[in-house]
Amino acid sequence: MKILIMLITLMMYLHAQDVGESIYSNIIVKNIKEANQDLDRLKVLVNTNASKKELDNGFTELMMSWKKVQTLYLAADLDEEYIDVPRYIDTFHEGKENIYKQLDRILLSSDSLDIELFKNSTKSINALEYLMFKASPKTKRQKEMIIHTLRHIGHHLKKIALFYQDNKALFMQDEKKMNAIIMNALIESSYKLKEWRVGDAAGLSRKYRDDPNNARSEYPISKLSYKAIEAILLTHQEVVGKQDFVNFSDVIHNAGADKELSSIRNNIKDALKHLHLAPAYAFDSKEMKKVYKELTALHNAYYISLIGALKVTSKILDSDGD
């Protein structure tokens, strides 16, 4: 009997230790690898003058794989030197500058791109969207700017990949710390998803109540904002949904919060369902209002219910971000 109890205790300990390693291997490493592969494929498509459809699909794949990396970006909590890396790639909701006007000016200039594209914002994935989906015919200058931007994004994606590659041990050293880091990533992501990516465009957020405007969405030029929302929700599903690998749902289950876990899974599933039913790029539709409702419930479940159940401390969220 004593041996049996010891074995059960050991198995529970090993299972808990496996959570960090499993999330690292099955989500973190997988998603950054896919993002780098998608970027390399898009480079090839641009350099070989692929068709518009191929280029559009290439950008969509890169954008969605980047959203997955960004959603569960844990490097900043493990090493403060990596706090700003996502901002070098993605400028959504960062500042108030109009990068479209700046890019239009640079397109007409003949100065070196090393000089003209000195700002991270003008070689971000948001700038890449404009350059690739801009209505005017692609010029030689435009192609050069796209390649320059892809090189910039690729540099930072590889930097993230190398950090994760070199710091696997950090995911398994302190279970309580990792639980807090993952929980806070889910809270921050769910807030920005409901308020910035859906609420602001749908006129449902506190800042833009009853004032819907698709232009506030994340990818207004390509009209791929729905796909960005989908990628983020799919990442949450990887972290807390039923998977064939150990994930954060095991931590929630072990904390005795099965009811909360069930609600969270339903919120994610229903948000995806309504997103897929929503009319194309119509943030003020009834279906998008349902998406917002599910996302609000998801955020509250993370921020209110699970914080107490898991006994972790939450970060103070930046409610504006401008």
Side-chain angles (χ1 to χ4, degrees):
M1 179 63 74
K2 184 181 286 186
I3 294 174
L4 179 60
I5 293 172
M6 286 176 66
L7 283 172
I8 291 172
T9 303
L10 179 61
M11 287 172 66
M12 289 174 65
Y13 174 76
L14 289 173
H15 180 73
Q17 291 294 98
D18 284 344
V19 173
E21 183 176 7
S22 181
I23 288 175
Y24 171 85
S25 301
N26 293 293
I27 304 176
I28 301 286
V29 172
K30 176 184 72 70
N31 287 344
I32 189 61
K33 180 180 179 182
E34 287 180 359
N36 276 295
Q37 289 174 339
D38 288 340
L39 182 128
D40 290 340
R41 277 195 290 269
L42 184 52
K43 275 184 182 177
V44 171
L45 290 171
V46 172
N47 282 314
T48 56
N49 297 313
S51 68
K52 183 181 185 305
K53 182 178 180 180
E54 289 175 312
L55 289 169
D56 290 354
N57 288 340
F59 176 85
T60 304
E61 289 172 0
L62 171 61
M63 179 274 291
M64 291 186 73
S65 59
W66 160 242
K67 286 294 106 179
K68 291 181 178 182
V69 172
Q70 186 185 41
T71 299
L72 201 65
Y73 181 73
L74 307 185
D77 289 292
L78 297 170
D79 187 335
E80 63 181 15
E81 288 187 14
Y82 286 77
I83 290 174
D84 290 324
V85 176
R87 296 188 183 100
Y88 300 149
I89 298 174
D90 195 316
T91 61
F92 177 63
H93 235 269
E94 297 282 346
K96 300 180 183 295
E97 63 179 327
N98 187 329
I99 61 169
Y100 304 148
K101 288 183 178 180
Q102 295 176 52
L103 291 169
D104 281 340
R105 180 191 62 75
I106 297 168
L107 279 165
L108 297 175
S109 169
S110 59
D111 293 338
S112 167
L113 292 181
D114 288 328
I115 296 172
E116 290 282 22
L117 296 176
F118 70 95
K119 294 169 67 175
N120 288 305
S121 58
T122 56
K123 47 191 175 184
S124 62
I125 195 164
N126 315 87
L128 180 65
E129 178 208 18
Y130 184 70
L131 291 169
M132 292 197 67
F133 289 85
K134 187 174 159 62
S136 63
K138 300 292 186 292
T139 62
K140 180 183 176 183
R141 178 74 165 181
Q142 199 162 337
K143 180 178 176 180
E144 289 171 349
M145 288 172 67
I146 289 170
I147 292 169
H148 192 96
T149 300
L150 285 171
R151 192 180 304 125
H152 168 83
I153 295 171
H155 168 76
H156 292 292
L157 286 178
K158 286 177 174 60
K159 184 175 181 179
I160 294 171
L162 283 172
F163 173 82
Y164 287 136
Q165 177 184 306
D166 295 341
N167 291 281
K168 180 179 180 179
L170 293 177
F171 287 80
M172 294 167 281
Q173 284 181 350
D174 189 332
E175 183 190 342
K176 288 184 179 179
K177 179 181 178 181
M178 281 310 303
N179 287 348
I181 289 173
I182 294 169
M183 189 70 256
N184 277 300
L186 294 173
I187 290 169
E188 182 175 357
S189 170
S190 63
Y191 176 83
K192 292 177 178 179
L193 182 57
K194 82 177 183 73
E195 289 296 293
W196 297 3
R197 294 182 167 89
V198 176
D200 284 355
L204 299 170
S205 65
R206 287 175 296 174
K207 189 173 182 179
Y208 295 106
R209 183 73 63 189
D210 298 323
D211 180 25
N213 188 339
N214 285 351
R216 295 192 202 103
S217 64
E218 189 163 11
Y219 293 98
I221 308 300
S222 60
K223 294 181 170 56
L224 287 172
S225 300
Y226 281 16
K227 300 299 288 184
I229 295 166
E230 179 183 21
I232 295 166
L233 283 168
L234 289 175
T235 310
H236 281 254
Q237 209 165 59
E238 285 183 325
V239 179
V240 296
K242 291 182 180 179
Q243 302 293 342
D244 58 4
F245 55 85
V246 175
N247 65 5
F248 200 63
S249 66
D250 292 80
V251 174
I252 299 171
H253 168 72
N254 291 338
D258 285 335
K259 183 179 178 181
E260 290 83 353
L261 177 60
S262 178
S263 295
I264 285 167
R265 287 174 169 174
N266 286 332
N267 292 145
I268 295 170
K269 181 187 71 175
D270 291 343
L272 282 167
K273 179 185 75 175
H274 293 305
L275 179 68
H276 293 152
L277 291 172
Y281 215 63
F283 276 88
D284 59 348
S285 67
K286 290 181 180 179
E287 290 297 335
M288 288 306 289
K289 287 181 173 65
K290 292 176 182 177
V291 172
Y292 183 79
K293 181 180 178 181
E294 294 297 336
L295 295 180
T296 300
L298 176 65
H299 175 69
N300 290 340
Y302 285 146
Y303 195 52
I304 299 171
S305 303
L306 286 191
I307 284 291
L310 299 183
K311 296 180 174 61
V312 296
T313 304
S314 63
K315 290 180 179 178
I316 296 173
L317 291 171
D318 178 1
S319 62
D320 186 27
D322 285 340

